[in-house]
Amino acid sequence: MKLALIEANKSYIKDDVPVGAVIVKNDKVIAKAHNKKEKNKTATHHAEILAIEEACKKLKSWHLDDCILYVTLEPCLMCFGAILESRIKKIVYATNSEKFGFVSSTNNILKEIINNYNIEIVEGLYKKESQKLLSDFFKTKRK
């Protein structure tokens, strides 16, 4: 998660919502990314999507079955869909997204689909650090 926070900081510096994602397979980092929506003017350039794309290229497969996704903010519906499609087995996220989070905040979709996809969810790792980064970012936006 520390690497995901470093990625989130990159977004913060580049004036994008500070979210970072890292994908690990067999205890090795195979992909890392940060939000680039503002930089690239593309709605789909969330950290999770970019990390999934990088991991797929590295593994030369869309199957990320044995991978763990670490992300600083609860995935949205779009990102959760990409996680399902890529078959990631575990999601570890730092803090909830009350507005857009789709794992537990706005709609606990896992309750409906967990039988088909055995995804382990861990939340709260480095929660305070992630919340502070997000809070600081949005304070500067409101000024």
Side-chain angles (χ1 to χ4, degrees):
M1 189 60 82
K2 287 182 184 179
L3 290 176
L5 281 166
I6 290 169
E7 287 297 313
N9 244 326
K10 292 177 185 178
S11 292
Y12 183 90
I13 291 166
K14 295 175 184 174
D15 202 33
D16 213 325
V17 177
V19 179
V22 173
I23 297 178
V24 173
K25 181 174 180 163
N26 299 327
D27 296 322
K28 286 188 176 185
V29 173
I30 61 167
K32 53 187 177 177
H34 55 277
N35 270 1
K36 293 185 179 177
K37 277 175 65 171
E38 294 298 329
K39 179 184 180 208
N40 296 340
K41 307 292 184 234
T42 304
T44 59
H45 282 191
H46 289 200
E48 300 96 310
I49 300 288
L50 297 172
I52 288 169
E53 287 177 357
E54 184 180 325
C56 290
K57 284 179 188 172
K58 183 155 190 170
L59 297 178
K60 296 181 174 75
S61 173
W62 62 269
H63 289 271
L64 303 180
D65 305 81
D66 298 320
C67 294
I68 301 169
L69 170 69
Y70 293 88
V71 62
T72 58
L73 185 64
E74 179 183 6
C76 70
L77 177 59
M78 174 184 69
C79 292
F80 192 77
I83 291 163
L84 288 177
E85 287 294 330
S86 65
R87 308 300 194 259
I88 288 174
K89 70 171 185 173
K90 182 176 182 179
I91 305 167
V92 180
Y93 67 91
T95 191
N96 290 3
S97 172
E98 298 303 322
K99 224 176 181 183
F100 296 106
F102 220 77
V103 176
S104 65
S105 293
T106 59
N107 181 356
N108 191 345
I109 196 167
L110 286 179
K111 287 179 183 173
E112 296 176 27
I113 61 171
I114 197 67
N115 293 333
N116 294 328
Y117 300 93
N118 193 13
I119 301 174
E120 184 181 348
I121 304 294
V122 177
E123 58 182 274
L125 187 62
Y126 286 88
K127 182 177 185 172
K128 288 180 185 176
E129 294 86 345
S130 182
Q131 285 176 335
K132 181 174 177 3
L133 193 57
L134 288 159
S135 177
D136 290 350
F137 176 79
F138 287 111
K139 279 180 191 172
T140 63
K141 290 295 176 192
R142 290 183 189 110
K143 286 184 180 178

